Amino acid sequence: MSERTGLAPPKSPPVRLTRETVSGGFKKRVIELSGQNMDSCYQCGNCSSGCPVAQEMDILPNRIMRLAQLGLKDDIIHSATLWICASCFQCTVRCPRGIDIQGVMDTLRQIALDEGVDHFGPDQIDPEQAASVPQPGLVGVYRKLST
Amino acid sequence: MKRIGVFICHCGINIAGTVDVKRVAEEVAKLDSVVYAQDYIYMCSDPGQALVREKIRQEKLDGIIIAACSPSLHESTFRTAAEEAGLNPWQCEIANIREQCSWVHTDRKKATEKAIRIVSTMVEKTRLNESLEPIPVSITKKALVIGGGIAGIQAALDIADSGHKVILVEKESSIGGHMAQLSETFPTLDCSQCILTPKMVAAGKHRNIQLMTYSEVEEVSGYVGNFNVRIRRKAPFVDWSTCTGCGLCMEKCPAKVPSEFDRGLSTHGAIYIPFPQAVPNKPVIDRESCIYFKTGKCRLCEKTCEIGAIKFDQEDQIIEEEIGAIITATGYETLPVTELQEYGAGEVPDVIDGLAFERLLSASGPTSGEVRRPSDGRVPKEVVFVQCAGSRDPERYRPYCSKICCMYTTKHALLYKHRVHDGQPYIFYIDIRTGGKGYEEFYHNAEQDEGIIYLRGKVAKIFRDGDKTIVWGTDTLTGRNVEIQADLVVLATAVVPRESTAELVKKLRIQTGPNGFLSEAHPKLRPVESINSGFFIAGVAQGPRDIPETVAQASGAACKVISLFSRDHLEQDPAIAWVDEELCGGCRICISVCPYDAREYDEEKCIARVNEALCEGCGSCVAACACGATQQRNLSDSQIKSMVTASLGGE
Ligand SMILES: Cc1cc2nc3c(=O)[nH]c(=O)nc-3n(C[C@H](O)[C@H](O)[C@H](O)COP(=O)(O)OP(=O)(O)OC[C@H]3O[C@@H](n4cnc5c(N)ncnc54)[C@H](O)[C@@H]3O)c2cc1C
Ligand code: SF4
Ligand code: SF4
């Protein structure tokens, strides 16, 4: 028997891809601010498998890269992943295509803040969870909050 | 009594892992006539063969058995070794204890018992083997190449360069095949015409190549080194010996026929040359669409042609040739878009296939290289490419990978982007397979720097909505279904064998595999030969492949032919059928059962004979012969009886 009950909420709405989404505004901005070519990512998943805080993320780093490739801004800026990211640079060091993923994460956080999307607040940490989150993760979160 | 030696191979662990080879050696050593039995880890290796040779001499063996893998793999290896040690090669037999024993069993005890019986069976055979001499057969040093695509052209040129004569038969009026339709070629993007047309011209001019275009092979008889071939030269209704190829007739012809070469994206007259760089550059009249042939009126071309080259009364010609070896290089077609129901079944005008897109990209194509869509001639701004359209789909279409589409689709997207800078290409794929020199780099560059969007998933449906073509697909990497309102869709349709190849293989009596592509004698070790001797294969007719691989294989096939032609005569295996003239009653049942036409009737003596050069030793006639007159050398009735007894455990 599974320990969870009920059905998962629907979260795969279809998307309409156009020239504008896949190479227009949002994507251009990410490339410009981060200086990274996300199109180089071939979805090997090395960034995710090496990430020390991946287990806390709602979207794994490689999926964030994929969403950015397709310009799916809304999926990204509402993701908790941006704020769980510990900025530890594991992903950047491991990426076989030489992409600075943590740099992209920084850019995405910046865009999320610009867009006024609610980000991670100290009151949101469940004390029990706080005890289990790795310390670099918490330090990372607060450092980001002070930018 | 014969002195027989048995050599049992471990084949690493392939045999020894399942069969107790030491026990096999012990047991067979007890058999009558066996004076020596020994196992060894790799019998086919140099030390293994040295052991065989040494023991033949030392033990004065007059028969040997190699218990190892299938005879199709190493029979000739060991027969050569035997001959080197002074033993007649037909006194060497193979007992197959790998494919027919160790590979198919897991129970060690039973497998060992079976291996002992297999070897005992061959001991019985060897005991009664006669020493035989190969039958010398003469050889006609002239090759026939069927199919004038890049595969056939390359093979013909290589053979011709070695000094031998070649007949190159092509069913269309020009050689060139599909490569002539391509715009630029991956991974270097050199223009297809620029690298192909010089080869076409070379083939057309070579003094050792006789080009027979607009021709088809009607009948093939004979055997390796001595084939008789009938070729039908279809009537072009133009006298090619006087026609200068000026093209005036083509301008005047009022008929409109969709151009096959341009994939229906343009039309030509009933009298036409398929493309301007054709070799030979001579027109043909398509009987089916010619107004004169249909209605009895017109003959405009005839009036236009000043030198009087148009000949409406021309008839097909039959040409007979003697040939030593045949290369089949008949290439491929692609799965018609009409078969792909979910992709519009050919009814959505802006859904085209890869070859049609090549024509749109080609500088000599119907749009002079500008990408314009078929429905309204507009430049498409959003173009969707769909890979595996009909490939890798065992349930509905073709089970295999068409191999070339990953690369050419990336090429298409890239060339489109080079022509339409503000256009957006999307590629739907299941996997991207880039195994080839420089291929991964080509793809990587396209993905990283050309703004091509790769979407991992199969397209479910394509339909028309207004002037848009809607594509419903998925992107498994984001877990989202995707809709694109495309201006043009290009399908990478499955590579399939040509329909006419099925007819041809029946005439040649060579084999095809389950998907209709030509079969090779061995997938790894004899990739350019057919099982039937004297027949070779090249190009996509054997299976999907790109130009570099096609050319390499064509040169390989040519090399096999040249090596065949380098001999003074051929040697035919003497282990074939023979007739005891005293016993033959002339019933001729053997003639009707022989699949190789090797049995013939001697009217004078009223008996059936064996044509030794044609007989493959299959044994059909031996089994059919009611009076025991037909026997097979080294597989006599008495041999077979004692072999059966031994295989049943000697009872
Ligand atoms: C859309 C597309 C793009 C491609 N792009 C590339 C690329 O960029 N780079 C690359 O390396 N490869 C590419 N390829 C693959 C390339 O086309 C093939 O590898 C190559 O053309 C195979 O040549 P072939 O001679 O084996 O076959 P074909 O080109 O099919 O030639 C066979 C010839 O035999 C003739 N023939 C057939 N049956 C008979 C018969 N019974 N009697 C007489 N003649 C007969 C035919 O008329 C034809 O002329 C592409 C393929 C496609 C579909
Ligand atoms: S490691 Fe690099 S290439 Fe691999 S998925 Fe992550 S970003 Fe993409
Ligand atoms: S006779 Fe036939 S080929 Fe000649 S011009 Fe008329 S339609 Fe064309």
Side-chain angles (χ1 to χ4, degrees), chain B residues 112-131:
Chain B
T112 306
E113 285 311 314
K114 181 169 168 183
I116 294 168
R117 285 200 194 181
I118 293 173
V119 178
S120 316
T121 305
M122 294 320 283
V123 169
E124 289 305 319
K125 177 174 195 298
T126 310
R127 253 214 286 261
L128 297 175
N129 268 358
E130 301 167 57
S131 292

Side-chain angles (χ1 to χ4, degrees), chain B residues 146-152 169-172 174-179 182 184-187 215-217 329-334 353-356 358 404 408 411-412 439 493 495 498 500-501 504 538-541 545-548 550:
Chain B
I146 310 172
I150 182 61
V169 169
E170 164 59 55
K171 74 175 166 52
E172 303 297 331
S174 169
I175 53 172
H178 284 303
M179 191 177 164
L182 307 183
E184 281 137 76
T185 52
F186 64 75
S215 301
E216 277 177 62
V217 170
T330 48
Y332 69 102
E333 288 167 14
T334 54
D353 69 6
L355 283 171
E358 291 285 342
I404 52 173
Y408 82 59
K411 173 189 80 173
H412 283 171
Y439 289 12
T493 43
V495 170
R498 289 189 193 257
S500 57
T501 299
L504 182 70
V540 183
R545 66 201 54 200
D546 54 23
I547 298 164
T550 296

Side-chain angles (χ1 to χ4, degrees), chain A residues 11-19 22-23 27 37 39-41 43 63 66-67 69-70 75 97, chain B residues 381-382 422 424 426 440 444 447-449 453-455 475 477-485:
Chain A
K11 50 188 169 196
S12 325
V15 291
R16 177 171 288 176
L17 297 183
T18 63
R19 274 191 285 172
V22 301
S23 54
K27 187 166 168 187
N37 182 352
D39 283 339
S40 183
C41 166
Q43 289 292 297
R63 178 70 65 93
R66 178 66 184 156
L67 291 163
Q69 281 179 340
L70 298 188
D75 292 67
R97 289 274 165 106
Chain B
K381 290 298 161 89
E382 310 234 23
D422 62 341
Q424 180 60 55
Y426 306 83
E440 173 68 9
H444 181 32
E447 187 189 34
Q448 166 174 291
D449 298 325
I453 293 294
Y454 286 82
L455 296 160
D475 175 53
L477 300 177
T478 52
R480 288 301 185 71
N481 279 354
V482 169
E483 178 187 304
I484 298 170
Q485 303 194 336

Side-chain angles (χ1 to χ4, degrees), chain B residues 240-285:
Chain B
W240 282 4
S241 62
T242 53
C243 167
T244 58
C246 72
L248 279 178
C249 53
M250 302 192 289
E251 281 168 30
K252 286 285 174 333
C253 178
K256 288 237 175 316
V257 189
S259 156
E260 205 180 305
F261 187 80
D262 277 342
R263 306 293 279 180
L265 296 172
S266 73
T267 58
H268 54 59
I271 185 163
Y272 71 104
I273 294 176
F275 56 103
Q277 301 74 23
V279 170
N281 207 292
K282 310 279 168 156
V284 294
I285 295 180

Side-chain angles (χ1 to χ4, degrees), chain A residues 10-101:
Chain A
K11 50 188 169 196
S12 325
V15 291
R16 177 171 288 176
L17 297 183
T18 63
R19 274 191 285 172
E20 181 51 29
T21 44
V22 301
S23 54
F26 168 73
K27 187 166 168 187
K28 272 204 185 119
R29 220 169 127 218
V30 180
I31 293 172
E32 220 171 77
L33 291 174
S34 67
Q36 299 303 308
N37 182 352
M38 280 119 37
D39 283 339
S40 183
C41 166
Y42 61 173
Q43 289 292 297
C44 69
N46 211 356
C47 46
S48 299
S49 53
C51 175
V53 291
Q55 71 276 15
E56 301 299 328
M57 293 173 168
D58 59 336
I59 299 177
L60 293 180
N62 72 297
R63 178 70 65 93
I64 293 281
M65 295 298 289
R66 178 66 184 156
L67 291 163
Q69 281 179 340
L70 298 188
L72 300 178
K73 181 177 87 177
D74 282 349
D75 292 67
I76 297 172
I77 62 176
H78 292 284
S79 165
T81 293
L82 308 186
W83 310 105
I84 303 284
C85 164
S87 299
C88 70
F89 287 88
Q90 280 280 7
C91 49
T92 298
V93 174
R94 287 166 190 238
C95 176
R97 289 274 165 106
I99 305 170
D100 176 7
I101 299 129

